[in-house]
Amino acid sequence: MTIYRSRNLRLSLAMGVALAALCAAPAHAQEKSASVQIAAQPLGQAFQTLARQTGTDILFTPAIVSGLTATPVQGRMGARAAVERMIAGKGLVVRQQPNGALLIVAAAATAQDMGLTTPVETPEIIVTGYAASLSSALAQKRAATNVVDVVKAEDIGKFPAQNIAEALQRVPGVSIVRDRGEGVFVRIRGLGANFQVVTLNDRAAAVNENVRDSGQSGRQFRFDTLPSELMSAVEVIKSPRADLAEGGIGGTVNLQTFRPIDLKKPVFALSATASSPRLADAVDPRISGMASWVNDAGTFGALVAAVYDERTTRQDRVTGVGWVEGRIDSDGDGALDGDTILVPNSTRPTLERENRNRIGLNGAIQWRPDDRFELNVDGLWSKLKIDYDELTYSTDFSATALRAIVPGTAIVENGVLTAATVATSTQIGRETSRLEYENWLIGANAKWTANGWTLMADASMGRAYSNTPTPIYRSRLLGAVGNVSFDYGKVGERLPNISFQTADLNEPTTLPGRRIEYRVNDSLDRQRAATFDIARDLDGAVRALRVGAKIEKRDRTYNRRDINFTSGIAGRRFDASFFEAFPVSDFLDGVGGTLPNSWLMPNPDRFLEVATGKEALLNAPLTRGDLRNSYAIDERIIAGYGMGEFEFPLGGMTIRGDAGVRYAHTRQTSSGHADNGTVAVPVRFERNYDNILPALNLVAQFTPKLQMHLAASKVITRPSLADLAPRLTINSNPTILTAVGGNPELRPFEAWQYDATLEWYFAPGSALIGGAFYKDITTFVFQQTRSFNLDGQVYRLTAPENGGNAYVAGVEIAYQQLFKMLPEPFDGLGFQANYTHTASKGTYAMSDGTTFRDDLTDVASDSFNLTAFYEKGPVGARASYSWRGKVLRDVGGAGLAANNDAAFGSLDFDISYKVTPNVTFVVQGINVAGGVQWQYVRDNRFAGYTDYGTTLMAGVRARF
């Protein structure tokens, strides 16, 4: 058989499980009309072309079409109508399958009557479920002119994926960045999340900002704000077309929501699961549902989908590990030793806990009165609330000062101080806050087609608001605690050994109070856009011409206010009534290394009660620091494009593709405050720049099973909004003086990129694909650290700077197979594997004007994904392992400005059993092998550790 294919409430959980058995399943996609141009050619080849043009799956045996020529067909119609014309008078008929595919069979004969050695597949054995979604996604990749990978709804909904990012990590070249164990950002081909563009139904999406701490994300879309159940498909676009929005050197992630007419008949579906994060020791509910209605004529429909989920998280961490280069006084004689060595100076064990709840709603209205006109109005809204509680203590010391080290305790190995006993100060802190992230996008588009012309218009507006409705409170105690002994190993071996010689961190009077830090923070990101496109279908080699224009406006306001309440707290010793019992008994269990695993837990309400002068501070004007931290960015883009689509035979093969050019004009305004040493002065910077971005995509089809994709294009990534801000944020730690700044003069990243993939579709739903890519980045931005003087204090300021040229090159290999050829019951087996290797180099500028060449930061050199699955009868099982290699955060110089990420892998599984044709029970697991994240600095020295544990889930889905 040949197949050508196209492109929660805790109290509500029990009720949700019961209702799930009454729900109905989404139906299969309804046939759409498309522009069809089929010339007289071998019938099998014609079916392949039609599948690409209409996005419909077409199934047949090679023998049944052998020697037959397709009747020419031209015009706008559905795939089935086109097939019926192509096979008229040829003794064949077409049958619509439950999954939307078209099956071609003999008009009045069984398979045996036709003399086929391989019987025609009947509807009962056509692949369904996860295997069908993989096949459909592979077919869409095959049909596209550009390099693209697709994840379909079956894949997203049936994998142990808490959000879209976790579903995408199975895609070749895609890895994710996790926060509190949940996927937050996406990397494509090794490049960091700032190099990706995220769109929703092809529209630019507003972006939620990080309001938990001083670190900001800029343009990076937070996938934890968006439940996966609301999506029908996701495209990862690796090579652009001229008609696609610019801005992603790494690629574009296009999220697609459900629409009612695209479902064949009315839908009512509900699922319910309960998850148990083993480290947090909790049970969390998740409920999702969808209802869709379509009139009898199939011309008007409405849809609503909703998700509610709760999630309890816990992370055991060692962070804040600092290393410096310096000389030590190892024998206490008051003179520094001669050699400069690598010396540790801080460590911060941290327990982080969160309670999250998330609501997501998606609605759509679709009107398609005939094949010529279609109107869609859709909207998506989501809200994520996080109650955050962080407990921490630190060891802060200076082993490079005279007589700091107890004589005879220093151990130096290969130029590194690995162990010693030194005098230490310690800060104990607790941070509590509520964080909220709200995101919505509303859009409408219309399409009108007649006489070969297609006019399309789209308008949308989105808003992403992130804030702290309950201020962030940090209760701090700080003081000297005498000597501490430390012993640091290498990353992956064990945690540091830390022993306080005289101090007890569980004794209330050990440390005096320091202050309460108060912060309110909000970020509003708004996106508005309008596009208009015209397409003209043509005969001949050039199949279509397209032109279009887009106007887009984005504005970002970021406000932050910090107040320190010290009166009534600073220098005071507190009794036990100001503290609570440490909440867990197994902190940092399961890993080597000895350090205090419980300590005082301040009660923030009690500390607030005794703080005096709060009202005056709260009513005071914004300080210099508040003004320096806040900013506004306004970005306006006018873009237009022209492109052509072509297809023609050449020397026994078929060449198809697109070529075009896109122009974008960007006006960028950055506003904020600069500090002149006395006051914060308002400043405003404006930049205008233009980009001309050609794009070419070619597909050479050598045989019906073998083809090659070639692509070349110029691409840009605009700098992070936070990096463009004229801002300055000072670290509050009194012993480590650091600062973070912005740079309104940053230029966009620019690159020429080239792609080549060879694709062998050797069996239905199966393929072996190899590819190479090269990105020649002519300008890029990097983080530079230098000394900075403010109010008589010298800080280490990290700020973005324009860099020189760079490149990113790599290879991808992907393999997917459905083992339908095996005897029962092994014919339900399937396997996926992919591997990506990336190499990079860039030219960096030093603060003294010199340059050096090194790897690019935030690029993962290697990643791979392995998935094995089985679907047969009522049983379904899948296991997937996703691995990402080390990621450099700091290059050149001392290599101590940032902590690098060590390699990390996660093993997930999904097991399902269909108790009836309509009801399925599911068990899932995330990170079941207990993977942990390590960080390191130069010489592979320990710099950080994060353990978020394993999550298990169980639930029910029902479909009728």
Side-chain angles (χ1 to χ4, degrees):
M1 172 66 74
T2 298
I3 304 178
Y4 286 115
R5 300 181 183 249
S6 67
R7 326 213 316 160
N8 126 92
L9 305 170
R10 297 180 191 274
L11 295 179
S12 301
L13 180 60
M15 182 179 294
V17 172
L19 288 175
L22 302 177
C23 67
H28 300 291
Q30 180 174 346
E31 184 178 70
K32 298 180 182 179
S33 62
S35 177
V36 174
Q37 297 186 36
I38 303 296
Q41 57 187 295
L43 188 56
Q45 183 177 326
F47 286 149
Q48 179 184 0
T49 302
L50 182 64
R52 290 198 304 266
Q53 294 178 0
T54 64
T56 302
D57 305 345
I58 303 177
L59 302 85
F60 60 93
T61 61
I64 204 171
V65 299
S66 178
L68 299 179
T69 300
T71 302
V73 179
Q74 182 174 341
R76 192 159 190 89
M77 66 192 73
R80 180 166 185 168
V83 168
E84 287 173 343
R85 297 185 191 186
M86 292 162 58
I87 64 177
K90 296 177 172 58
L92 303 175
V93 294
V94 56
R95 297 176 182 171
Q96 187 91 34
Q97 302 306 302
N99 64 355
L102 299 178
L103 176 65
I104 314 301
V105 298
T110 66
Q112 290 80 7
D113 293 336
M114 291 184 287
L116 301 180
T117 58
T118 302
V120 176
E121 287 189 84
T122 63
E124 289 73 24
I125 63 172
I126 293 173
V127 291
T128 60
Y130 179 63
S133 72
L134 291 180
S135 299
S136 181
L138 189 64
Q140 187 170 331
K141 174 183 178 68
R142 182 179 185 177
T145 56
N146 55 338
V147 182
V148 60
D149 288 284
V150 185
V151 183
K152 293 287 189 177
E154 274 286 323
D155 192 3
I156 297 171
K158 286 197 172 183
F159 253 107
Q162 299 171 99
N163 59 45
I164 299 297
E166 297 183 10
L168 287 178
Q169 65 179 329
R170 332 293 180 193
V171 170
V174 175
S175 61
I176 66 174
V177 179
R178 294 177 183 268
D179 180 54
R180 279 71 183 167
E182 184 170 2
V184 179
F185 302 121
V186 165
R187 302 174 184 274
I188 300 178
R189 289 178 163 176
L191 290 170
N194 57 305
F195 288 96
Q196 328 308 334
V197 169
V198 177
T199 58
L200 183 61
N201 293 323
D202 297 306
R203 304 172 181 134
V207 177
N208 290 99
E209 189 51 276
N210 177 13
V211 293
R212 177 187 286 118
D213 52 44
S214 303
Q216 296 182 51
S217 304
R219 299 180 190 271
Q220 303 177 36
F221 185 87
R222 294 183 61 101
F223 284 90
D224 59 342
T225 64
L226 200 59
S228 62
E229 288 89 344
L230 300 184
M231 299 297 111
S232 65
V234 184
E235 297 175 309
V236 179
I237 302 168
K238 298 176 180 177
S239 73
R241 292 160 45 111
D243 58 344
L244 297 177
E246 73 288 343
I249 291 180
T252 298
V253 179
N254 183 40
L255 313 175
Q256 299 174 353
T257 59
F258 291 97
R259 287 177 172 168
I261 296 181
D262 295 339
L263 300 171
K264 192 173 182 180
K265 51 188 176 182
V267 171
F268 177 63
L270 184 67
S271 70
T273 63
S275 65
S276 175
R278 308 312 298 160
L279 203 58
D281 192 22
V283 177
D284 301 320
R286 185 182 187 111
I287 299 173
S288 64
M290 181 169 67
S292 177
W293 171 84
V294 181
N295 64 4
D296 293 339
T299 59
F300 182 81
L303 176 149
V304 62
V307 178
Y308 176 85
D309 76 286
E310 296 178 7
R311 183 166 178 257
T312 307
T313 73
R314 170 184 158 188
Q315 283 196 147
D316 293 5
R317 307 184 69 193
V318 178
T319 185
V321 179
W323 292 85
V324 297
E325 285 186 321
R327 297 159 62 196
I328 64 172
D329 177 9
S330 60
D331 55 10
D333 63 355
L336 294 174
D337 299 348
D339 295 331
T340 298
I341 62 175
L342 194 59
V343 182
N345 65 3
S346 60
T347 304
R348 191 159 67 91
T350 305
L351 172 64
E352 297 176 347
R353 298 175 298 158
E354 285 185 349
N355 291 313
R356 300 183 174 200
N357 68 76
R358 177 173 51 192
I359 302 174
L361 297 172
N362 173 44
I365 297 174
Q366 194 173 15
W367 181 40
R368 191 188 294 161
D370 52 41
D371 289 342
R372 297 180 303 165
F373 182 78
E374 181 176 342
L375 175 67
N376 291 282
V377 179
D378 51 70
L380 184 144
W381 173 86
S382 68
K383 191 167 189 175
L384 172 64
K385 295 180 181 180
I386 302 176
D387 290 314
Y388 180 66
D389 196 345
E390 175 193 287
L391 306 173
T392 187
Y393 72 90
S394 66
T395 57
D396 301 312
F397 51 86
S398 176
T400 57
L402 293 174
R403 298 186 175 91
I405 298 176
V406 175
T409 64
I411 299 177
V412 179
E413 297 177 353
N414 299 321
V416 180
L417 179 65
T418 62
T421 299
V422 296
T424 305
S425 65
T426 289
Q427 177 171 265
I428 284 180
R430 182 180 185 182
E431 177 180 329
T432 59
S433 62
R434 161 158 294 186
L435 314 172
E436 288 189 357
Y437 302 93
E438 184 180 44
N439 200 316
W440 57 260
L441 178 65
I442 297 175
N445 61 60
K447 181 171 68 174
W448 178 78
T449 301
N451 301 320
W453 290 90
T454 301
L455 307 181
M456 295 166 286
D458 187 281
S460 64
M461 57 190 304
R463 179 181 184 270
Y465 184 56
S466 311
N467 73 318
T468 54
T470 299
I472 298 172
Y473 287 103
R474 292 173 174 160
S475 307
R476 307 294 202 197
L477 299 95
L478 174 67
V481 290
N483 289 337
V484 63
S485 297
F486 64 81
D487 180 2
Y488 287 82
K490 289 196 172 185
V491 67
E493 295 178 347
R494 58 171 173 82
L495 301 181
N497 295 322
I498 299 174
S499 175
F500 288 77
Q501 302 296 297
T502 57
D504 182 358
L505 298 185
N506 287 295
E507 169 56 48
T509 59
T510 295
L511 294 174
R514 180 189 178 199
R515 66 192 187 193
I516 293 176
E517 298 171 7
Y518 162 105
R519 178 185 299 167
V520 288
N521 198 183
D522 68 77
S523 173
L524 177 61
D525 193 80
R526 298 187 300 176
Q527 189 94 12
R528 285 144 285 178
T531 63
F532 183 72
D533 301 84
I534 302 174
R536 172 62 175 169
D537 293 335
L538 301 172
D539 297 326
V542 179
R543 294 301 180 92
L545 295 176
R546 301 178 183 273
V547 296
K550 179 179 181 178
I551 299 175
E552 182 178 343
K553 183 180 185 299
R554 160 173 264 159
D555 55 78
R556 161 78 62 84
T557 57
Y558 182 89
N559 301 296
R560 173 176 161 182
R561 187 179 190 190
D562 291 270
I563 301 175
N564 293 329
F565 302 139
T566 59
S567 180
I569 295 176
R572 176 179 170 182
R573 307 273 174 168
F574 296 92
D575 60 37
S577 67
F578 283 80
F579 303 96
E580 300 173 2
F582 197 72
V584 302
S585 60
D586 56 350
F587 178 67
L588 291 175
D589 274 6
V591 61
T594 60
L595 44 74
N597 58 8
S598 68
W599 58 94
L600 295 169
M601 187 168 87
N603 183 330
D605 295 333
R606 291 286 283 126
F607 277 85
L608 276 171
E609 288 175 8
V610 300
T612 59
K614 297 188 292 290
E615 292 77 12
L617 288 170
L618 289 169
N619 294 322
L622 296 176
T623 66
R624 291 163 54 193
D626 296 334
L627 295 172
R628 292 193 308 254
N629 285 329
S630 303
Y631 62 87
I633 305 290
D634 184 273
E635 190 174 75
R636 302 183 182 217
I637 301 168
I638 299 175
Y641 74 91
M643 65 175 285
E645 298 177 346
F646 51 85
E647 183 173 348
F648 54 88
L650 180 66
M653 61 182 176
T654 300
I655 303 295
R656 58 187 175 90
D658 61 76
V661 63
R662 186 175 187 88
Y663 164 78
H665 171 78
T666 306
R667 190 183 78 181
Q668 194 172 267
T669 304
S670 305
S671 304
H673 288 78
D675 200 305
N676 64 6
T678 305
V679 296
V681 181
V683 292
R684 185 177 184 273
F685 301 86
E686 184 172 317
R687 281 182 57 83
N688 291 270
Y689 55 88
D690 300 279
N691 298 101
I692 298 176
L693 308 171
L696 171 66
N697 293 282
L698 289 173
V699 180
Q701 184 180 326
F702 306 113
T703 72
K705 295 182 178 182
L706 183 66
Q707 68 179 31
M708 175 180 282
H709 267 95
L710 299 172
S713 59
K714 189 176 183 182
V715 289
I716 65 170
T717 288
R718 297 181 175 91
S720 162
L721 296 173
D723 284 350
L724 289 168
R727 67 185 181 102
L728 179 64
T729 301
I730 302 298
N731 185 3
S732 64
N733 191 313
T735 58
I736 305 173
L737 302 179
T738 61
V740 176
N743 183 354
E745 299 298 328
L746 295 177
R747 300 188 298 269
F749 298 80
E750 294 183 350
W752 281 94
Q753 68 175 32
Y754 309 92
D755 290 87
T757 66
L758 186 62
E759 304 163 7
W760 179 32
Y761 300 91
F762 56 86
S766 305
L768 178 62
I769 299 172
F773 58 89
Y774 182 84
K775 301 175 187 288
D776 182 9
I777 305 176
T778 56
T779 62
F780 75 99
V781 175
F782 71 100
Q783 299 295 319
Q784 186 181 84
T785 300
R786 58 183 175 85
S787 296
F788 170 76
N789 191 301
L790 179 67
D791 298 336
Q793 294 275 18
V794 178
Y795 294 85
R796 294 294 289 167
L797 171 65
T798 300
E801 297 288 345
N802 293 307
N805 64 322
Y807 74 86
V808 178
V811 294
E812 291 178 348
I813 301 174
Y815 164 69
Q816 175 177 309
Q817 184 162 11
L818 308 180
F819 295 100
K820 291 296 180 181
M821 79 295 294
L822 297 178
E824 294 186 355
F826 305 107
D827 55 340
L829 288 169
F831 186 71
Q832 291 173 276
N834 60 71
Y835 166 76
T836 302
H837 172 73
T838 304
S840 67
K841 280 290 186 291
T843 300
Y844 296 83
M846 301 289 287
S847 57
D848 61 2
T850 62
T851 63
F852 67 93
R853 192 82 170 163
D854 210 333
D855 294 339
L856 289 185
T857 59
D858 209 33
V859 175
S861 297
D862 297 277
S863 64
F864 68 82
N865 299 275
L866 302 173
T867 299
F869 59 92
Y870 179 83
E871 287 188 328
K872 185 71 175 179
V875 177
R878 292 179 294 279
S880 179
Y881 183 74
S882 300
W883 182 90
R884 181 260 310 144
K886 66 182 182 180
V887 177
L888 297 179
R889 304 287 187 180
D890 181 53
V891 297
L896 305 175
N899 296 336
N900 306 307
D901 296 332
F904 174 78
S906 178
L907 177 63
D908 308 331
F909 76 84
D910 178 295
I911 300 173
S912 63
Y913 185 79
K914 190 173 290 187
V915 293
T916 74
N918 307 318
V919 179
T920 302
F921 285 97
V922 182
V923 177
Q924 300 173 331
I926 298 174
N927 193 33
V928 294
V932 296
Q933 299 171 314
W934 297 82
Q935 290 185 302
Y936 68 98
V937 295
R938 192 182 68 207
D939 194 38
N940 212 33
R941 290 295 162 181
F942 174 84
Y945 171 89
T946 299
D947 179 13
Y948 59 83
T950 296
T951 299
L952 300 177
M953 293 176 282
V956 60
R957 303 188 190 108
R959 297 186 172 189
F960 295 91

